[in-house]
Amino acid sequence: MVEQGPPEEIDPIWTSSRTARQIYALGEVEKDITRLLSLAASSIALLSLPQTDGPEDADLPKGAERSEKFVDVANEYFERLDGIQYAIRSSLAHIRHSRVAPSAIDAPPPGFVPPALGVGLPAADGSTAARARGDRGLQEERVERDAWVGILGALTRVKAARDAEAAAAGSAMQS
């Protein structure tokens, strides 16, 4: 796939397993398909005759530059298309290798509306904790967990610092 700009910071959840990486890659494929459609539109615009350019096409090059720009756009189009087909084939190979049951990847029943924030963690009673606490998704649950872990770490460091200060003050008084 063609990279654009500096690589973005990827949430560690997407690197936690091969399946998570495959899901992330499919999300990137979705973005690539959007870019592919944009490149197709640009190619069509560049193939049109310069006399038919409208006012919104003022930024299109003229003459030989137009042909060169078309070649560049067409090359990027085919590179992106190649990246998309590779990512889809890779994901399909992963599904085959994982021996995922076809019933697990069936389409949802008609009228199914997924939760707005994604899948939640299961609660002790079998319902999802997300529904029990305001319809939060898995990512929100993990953010909350990480926040609590951070709070615990900060409080532990504060307690250790206070204990060290008290021990230092106690040894200073004994001297």
Side-chain angles (χ1 to χ4, degrees):
M1 284 177 253
V2 177
E3 295 293 324
Q4 293 195 15
E8 62 184 58
E9 197 63 32
I10 298 174
D11 190 330
I13 192 173
W14 297 117
T15 58
S16 62
S17 70
R18 181 180 162 108
T19 301
R21 288 188 298 274
Q22 289 295 324
I23 292 170
Y24 181 81
L26 286 174
E28 292 300 306
V29 165
E30 184 179 13
K31 292 177 189 174
D32 282 347
I33 290 172
T34 302
R35 177 68 181 140
L36 189 71
L37 294 174
S38 173
L39 289 168
S42 296
S43 296
I44 298 298
L46 288 166
L47 285 174
S48 66
L49 295 173
Q51 298 88 342
T52 62
D53 289 349
E56 66 276 356
D57 298 325
D59 59 335
L60 289 176
K62 305 290 184 212
E65 291 177 20
R66 194 174 188 118
S67 297
E68 292 171 13
K69 179 69 175 173
F70 172 76
V71 169
D72 291 343
V73 170
N75 283 335
E76 184 180 350
Y77 175 89
F78 286 110
E79 286 174 13
R80 185 119 1 205
L81 184 62
D82 187 50
I84 289 169
Q85 69 90 18
Y86 176 80
I88 290 174
R89 287 176 186 241
S90 173
S91 296
L92 288 173
H94 172 70
I95 290 170
R96 282 188 206 106
H97 178 74
S98 300
R99 298 190 183 271
V100 175
S103 61
I105 54 176
D106 280 344
F112 173 75
V113 178
L117 299 175
V119 179
L121 296 173
D125 64 359
S127 67
T128 62
R131 286 196 182 99
R133 289 195 304 263
D135 204 22
R136 290 192 314 227
L138 184 60
Q139 186 64 27
E140 289 80 7
E141 295 286 338
R142 289 186 174 177
V143 167
E144 181 181 11
R145 179 203 60 204
D146 292 346
W148 282 112
V149 168
I151 290 169
L152 176 62
L155 290 174
T156 304
R157 289 190 300 275
V158 167
K159 184 178 182 322
R162 285 186 179 168
D163 289 347
E165 287 175 6
S171 66
M173 291 191 132
Q174 290 178 354
S175 305

